[in-house]
Amino acid sequence: MNATHSTSSSGGSGIGSGPLGYGTPTCYFVMIGTKDNPIYEAEFVSVNTARSSSGGATIPEAKKEEFRHLNQFIAHSALDMVEDIQWSTNQMYLKSIDKFNERFISAYLTAGNIKMLLLHDAKGEDVIRNFFNECYEFYIKTLLNPFYEPNSVISSPAFDTKVRLSAKRYL
Amino acid sequence: MASFQQRSREFSARELVTKVMSPRIAVVASQGANELCQANHLASVVDLFRPFGEHIEGRVTVHGSMGLPSAIDNFTLRFTEMDQLEEPDAKSSERWLSEIVRASAIDFEDRFQIKSAEQVTPDYLHAPPERVTPWYAKYRDVFFMTGGVSDHETFEHPVACVIAVSSLSPDPINEIHQLNNLSTPSIVFEKTFMDPTLLKYYVLIHDCTKGNLDNALETLDRMRRTFGLHCNILKINSIDPESAALPKERNAHIWARSVAQSKILAMGHAAKDPATARNSLSSITSTGASGTLADLTSQRSSMSSPVYSTGSNSPIFAQNPVFAQLGNDEEDGTFDQEPMALPPSGNQSLNLDLLLRPEVPREPYGCCMSNEDVNAIISVLREMLAQSIIPYMERNINHWNEQVAASRKGIAGRFRRYFGTGSKGPAAAQQSPMTGPNGGVIYPHAAPEAQMRKLADWAFMLRDYKFASSVYETAKKDYASDKAWKYYGGAQEMIGLCQLMAPQQLGAKNDVDHYIESAVNSYIHKAKSPFFGSRATLLAFELFKQRNMYRESPVTLTRMTAEVSDLRNGLFLEQAAHCYLKLPRPSVRKYAFHMIMAGHRFNKADQKEHAYRCYMAASLVYDGKGWGLADDHISCALGRQSYQLGKSEEVLDHYKKLLRESRQSPQQQAVYMKEFLSVYRDYTNKIEADPLRETFPDFPLPVVLGSTARIVLSTSQATNEHNDAWAELEGNALAASNASGQRTISAVGEHVLATVNVKNPLQIPVILTDVILGCEHSTSTTMFTVPVDAAEGAHLALYDQQSPEFQGKVSFAAFDCDRIDRIILEPGQIRTLTFEILPKQEGQIKVMGLHCNVEGQVHAYKDIVKRGKRLNKTKEQMMAIMYDEDKSLDILVAPEMPLLDVQFHSSPEMLLSGEVCELSLEINNRGKKGLKNLHVRMSHPTFFCIGEKKDQGDLGLYNKSEGSSATETIEVDNSLQLTTSQRILDQILSPGESICVPTWLRGEKIGKHNFLFVFSYESEQDGTAMGTRTLRHTISAQVLPSLKINAFTRPSTKGLNEFILGIETENLQTVPNFEFLQISSMSASWIIEAVEKSDESEEYRSIAPRQTVFTYYRIKKSDQATVPALTPERFMAKALEKLVIGQEKLKDVPPSLDLQLCHLSTTDSHINSTSPVLKYFSRTSRLGWRQVSLGAQFSSIPATVDRRNLFSVYGSNDIDLALFWNIPKMNRRGHHYITGINLGVQQNPFQPLDPADELEEGSEETARRALYEQTMRDQAALVQALTMNPHFRDESPVKISMRSEDSIQHPFSTKHLCNTPVRVVIKNCSWNKHIAYTLEMLSSKDPMVPQRVAGASGVSPNDSTQIQDSTNPHTNAHPFFWSGPTFSTGYLEPLAEVEIVLLACFTQPGMYDINRWRLAVQVVKSQRKRKNAAESKKQIKVEDGDGFEDVNLDGGSASSAAAAPQGIGKGFMQMPNLAHYIQVSSS
């Protein structure tokens, strides 16, 4: 279940050998509303990945920019896996549900059917669980705001700051 | 037969596998035999046999490895030319495959339009894959044909060889011998892995029309004798096509497809080997009649698409500098000019066409064949299969099984392999493995490993899957240990396929996928053989599909993506995408993602149509979800692909979506912009339109923020601040203008400003040029119907009007409009554009939208959409979100109107508090019509006095009169009416005329003030649409503190109703000396007069900085005061009562009042009150104060009640003071007002009216009843609030004063007692209250009643020792006594006064405080209730047991009035609070 795309590649090839599948060393966090609409997106360069990837080929910034859309594609397609797996557990944290080349997709399903997805390289489950839990808390606080309409884009800079801080702490 | 073609198209996956892995038969035919076939337009015997070999109907019996017979349906034999056993040229077959895939995309329509799981209908799920993705099936079929002999497997190795000769040949036997020799040393067999021993089968082909059958049969006999039993005769060509009446094409469908395939294969082989190429080419050209070829060429061009016609892709594209440049650095190779283009060869296109449309035969294949002939072919093939090939294979299988496989099985066999038991003879060299070209191991055909493989393959062909699988398993181990990866992969692949082919169900936990994965990995990564990897994937995928294993399929398919062929990857990814839809829970998003990846791969493979199709399909899923970057990627890809496909309209649609607010980087957006502009240029070039003339529909730039668009008149100023204040001021004027519905009303010839906010959503700057408003003019002023394309028309008019001398303005018949030549919108910037519109005709102008040229290349028109307020009245409106129609962008153009312009001249920025400055108000009519009825409303009416023009000559501010003091009486309007709207002019101001009106500004209040003015005026011409026009004007000034004035009054001891006024004046300024000029009083009943001055008057006059000066005056009742019949207090009380009892309309206003003005000047002349300015200021000042204080005191009165009908401006006991000053050095002058000194008796204006007072008996009754009937709570609350008003504390209306001689000489030596008369004057100062009083004179020993007089004179109340004399700090040293009556009661009417004479008796000389009395006051009913009062008199007296005797000194009316007070009102207890000393000295 976890590996729809098995890593057939030994030499860095695979589905992403083309430019579409460029492996970016950043984490990508997205919250997705009930209509498959992203309500919050963020990309973090995590300390761990930055270090681990420093040995490999350095990626020019421009390239990184170009393939940001891939994150969106991957996250969106992972929603199918969330829907498959959500009935098989009573946990909100669904752990790593999908995999695209070397990148894992961890998911967290809130009670309001808002999905939080994180694209990341292999990492500890607990760390990601903590990160998700904090983000969920931030999200609940956002929901308390009477001017925030549920399922709409979260544009609050405070929320963004908090998520990024939390990401810096955990990821 | 008719179902033949169809069945061959729709075979099951198992059939497909058996077909692909069926025995291959090589064919060697003599020239004569081929010529016989060519009569049927078939190139060779192979072509003749091939369609029948594909599907041999009927059942054949096969004996498996255990010798058990089993039946096989529909066997397949693949016929091949002997020299075409190897795979065709890889490049050419790639090319063919790609052309086939490309061609099948043309005219394909996606019927299913998958957006979400709802579109995954049974219709889709049950649709055959040929209809969903036809190119895939075509690719698959042709792909399997492109295989050739390989070292690691034997499926492509021929099982048998058919040798065909013609019966027409003069010496068939010899010919067969020659062919036999030819076949054996074929080049293919030089390779060591090929086994040259084949089953030979001889066929004699007999032409029934040309040859003699007997001869043929004889030849067959001879063949049988020479070559054994594997001989047969085939009779064909029994019909002469020239003579027969049958249609020539009747049999063509049988061959059409296979002929096309074989031609392509021939091409492939030809490309590989130039020598054979010539042959096959010639053979093909020989078959085509010249006429048909031409037809075909023309036909082909008619169905041509850009792909076909242009060879190299899209020449426009290459010429385009932007794209040419992009193509170089573009990573994904979108614009790479791949050398995929085919050389424009007619033959190839012909073949392609044949292959793509085999259903439509071009040539009369098999025109000489009768039905018998066709059946003869089938029966010959069946015979060959059943009697020769299958037995041969069975035999060989058994043989190899015993020889090789059996020995391999078991542990001994495995060891034997390593220790090499065998003979090291010449066979050993043949059996030992050798190294292949790719570094892998190649076993010679005689090696046991190769033979094992062959055994298993043959068993597989005969469908003994279980046995084959076991053999593969055995062989696999050998391959693995030898690191023969290709062999190993092949074995793994076959094991997997065997499992899938086996009829039984797979277990839940099967490892089929594991085998396939291992096979693919070995093939691709180790053996570098992508063809076999793809073949394994394809076969496994097909079998998975048949078993509904859709979850495994995408895994299998995407595993191949590392491989080089982008086309194949694209196809596989697309299939994988469709697999996701077929899962029990359709995974639409996975589908979309795979479609995107497929599209990407197709794009790289130069399959633009497919790439476009895939992206389009995926975009349906992503559409509208807000994945910005993904959407941009899709739009960009679609835009580029549709451009390359020549779909220019769609290109623009896709690029349009890119120009929006997104998280893209600025560089990326710049690229999008550049590409879009270049595409648009191409497009407009193509359709030969001027890009600046034609409007790009729905162009996304710039974003017009319609809701903030506004239209303002050019005369308005300060539009943004003080909106509330303006609204309040304009209250009336607006109500009038609202009749025409929010529209702005302007007049012909007057500028109107339209402001529109535009936003640049991009992160790159955008240049807008030639920006103009799209306006519509209509001559009707009520209806407005705009033709749909009116905006367009306006734009075109504008465009045509452009000329060099054109100066920032566009003229239309009805109006002129500004044009903005060029603005740059910075990234994300919002800019306000202001346009000036000059209406030139009466009617209506509607601002519709904004025309602009973006980047000077695209003309865009944006509607300005402004909604009215949200409607929320009906339920329907509440449920849906509906908005009112907005008309604020309409301009109603009235006929020519006056246009007012005002200007305040010499308006000071700073003035002192109280200072009065003279300004000049210039009124200018800039319009075309005369102006009348000019009114002004001010936010600060107390600050400004606007004079009238006619007064200019004699109007002064401080008019002087002779004499240092004077009194005047003026009559003032006492109604609380602030004339908010002041009329300025009563003449008509003709156009262009300008007049100045004097105006005075007085610093009424300290602080910074913004004075708002609303001028309203009308045209001299009646009945215009506009009615009243208004003009806003604002000026500001700061008022600084000047003098701080405190005034206080205290009762004078001199007179009963006199006061001392003290004024404390402090100069707050630091520099100037204020000079005190005059004090004036204004009151209905009081006047001031100077007290005797003890100091030099000079000191009063000048107040130095930071100094305080006290001045004192006396206030007394004016002698001349005439009390009107209806005093203001009475009016107020009545009005309040009416309000309380609920009289609906209060109409009365207080009558005017005579005011006594008293001027006391420090100089010889005094300032009189003739100046209307002064009158105005004093009145507005008083009004302002009065309104504020009334607002605070009567907040309980509802706002709906007009206070003008309740209260008066002046009370009869109020006195206002005005202090005039100047600063000689600075030439400033001014005056301060002290308002609100009330010298009357403090009481609540809301008085329960004495019924005797005014009201008639009858009306009183109705009033009371009305009061009872009014039971509403708010009424009660109002009464409660009025009666308990905390701002008023009733005080006793009675004033008392003692008069006596100050010092008495008395000869105490002669007379011991000194009796002195003391006159006590008691006055009822109330205007309405009747009181009963009880005066008790206290002797010096009598205790006061301290509890009643709380804290009367500064003695702390808890000091009990002093309580006794708390009111009298100086205890008389010697007591004195009152002699005679010491107790007096009486009744006083309002304003009545009574004097009582008492006798004070002193026994010794000394100082005595004779102010010792106690007065009880009770408000009583008036005398008209006297009877009742008298009746209750006795009762009171009884109660008053120890009371004094009634003493009636005054006699008369007082005696009966002294009757017991009827307690209707409050009672008061009064005590003396000052000592009144008498000196008694001994004479």
Side-chain angles (χ1 to χ4, degrees), chain A residues 25-37:
Chain A
T26 51
C27 284
Y28 172 69
F29 174 64
V30 61
M31 294 176 65
I32 297 163
T34 53
K35 302 252 186 328
D36 284 5
N37 49 323

Side-chain angles (χ1 to χ4, degrees), chain B residues 102-142:
Chain B
R102 185 195 312 280
S104 47
I106 292 157
D107 298 335
F108 177 78
E109 199 185 336
D110 186 6
R111 287 197 308 124
F112 298 105
Q113 306 271 336
I114 308 285
K115 287 190 193 70
S116 64
E118 281 97 67
Q119 274 85 30
V120 185
T121 53
D123 192 24
Y124 167 80
L125 291 175
H126 298 133
E130 285 77 16
R131 277 171 64 199
V132 182
T133 52
W135 44 86
Y136 165 71
K138 283 181 180 158
Y139 179 92
R140 182 189 61 199
D141 292 353
V142 179

Side-chain angles (χ1 to χ4, degrees), chain B residues 976 1131 1135 1145-1150 1202-1207:
Chain B
L976 191 71
F1131 170 80
K1145 275 281 178 190
L1146 296 166
K1147 290 190 203 83
D1148 301 335
V1149 290
D1202 192 348
R1203 270 142 223 262
R1204 281 180 293 183
N1205 297 325
L1206 286 179
F1207 303 107

Side-chain angles (χ1 to χ4, degrees), chain A residues 36 68 72 80 83-84 98, chain B residues 589-590 627 629-630 663:
Chain A
D36 284 5
R68 285 193 303 165
Q72 292 196 340
D80 277 325
E83 283 183 7
D84 273 353
D98 204 352
Chain B
R589 303 144 184 147
K590 287 267 182 210
W627 295 85
L629 294 171
R663 295 199 298 138

Side-chain angles (χ1 to χ4, degrees), chain B residues 220 353 405 568 646 718 777 1202:
Chain B
L220 178 66
D353 207 38
R568 201 147 50 214
H777 181 262
D1202 192 348

